[in-house]
Amino acid sequence: MWYCPSRADHISAARLRWFGNSVRMEHGRTPDIARLSTVPEKSRPGGRPPQRWNSDVLQDLQQADLPTSMHEPYCRVAWLVEVQGVQDHTP
């Protein structure tokens, strides 16, 4: 049976691939600095809490049953196999 991944699966896999790339980057590069930085919270009107990229990645890792450790993506080949499994999972 032919399966076409949903857009959400495709976006999640792309986000996890980029996460792996940014973890493996040398320290001090702009994506590494952006990944590790935080935005100071301001008082804002009530409503939905802000959604951050790091929160999305953590949610993707949990949904795919991948370890949330920052050391896992250092093995590039194993990480890409795991991420491909996220995109190719069948419903």
Side-chain angles (χ1 to χ4, degrees), residues 6-77:
S6 70
R7 289 181 184 162
D9 291 341
H10 182 75
I11 291 170
S12 176
R15 190 170 25 235
L16 289 174
R17 272 194 308 274
W18 178 248
F19 170 70
N21 290 338
S22 67
V23 168
R24 288 188 300 271
M25 281 184 189
E26 61 189 49
H27 296 291
R29 292 191 57 187
T30 304
D32 181 59
I33 293 169
R35 181 178 54 84
L36 297 174
S37 65
T38 59
V39 177
E41 294 292 326
K42 295 181 186 178
S43 66
R44 33 184 276 150
R48 192 169 132 181
Q51 186 71 15
R52 307 275 189 240
W53 187 81
N54 287 335
S55 303
D56 288 338
V57 169
L58 185 60
Q59 183 179 4
D60 292 339
L61 290 170
Q62 291 170 346
Q63 286 178 352
D65 292 329
L66 294 174
T68 56
S69 167
M70 297 298 254
H71 302 290
E72 186 68 25
Y74 281 111
C75 180
R76 184 175 188 271
V77 175

Side-chain angles (χ1 to χ4, degrees), residues 72-84:
E72 186 68 25
Y74 281 111
C75 180
R76 184 175 188 271
V77 175
W79 182 252
L80 290 177
V81 168
E82 293 288 339
V83 170
Q84 187 67 30

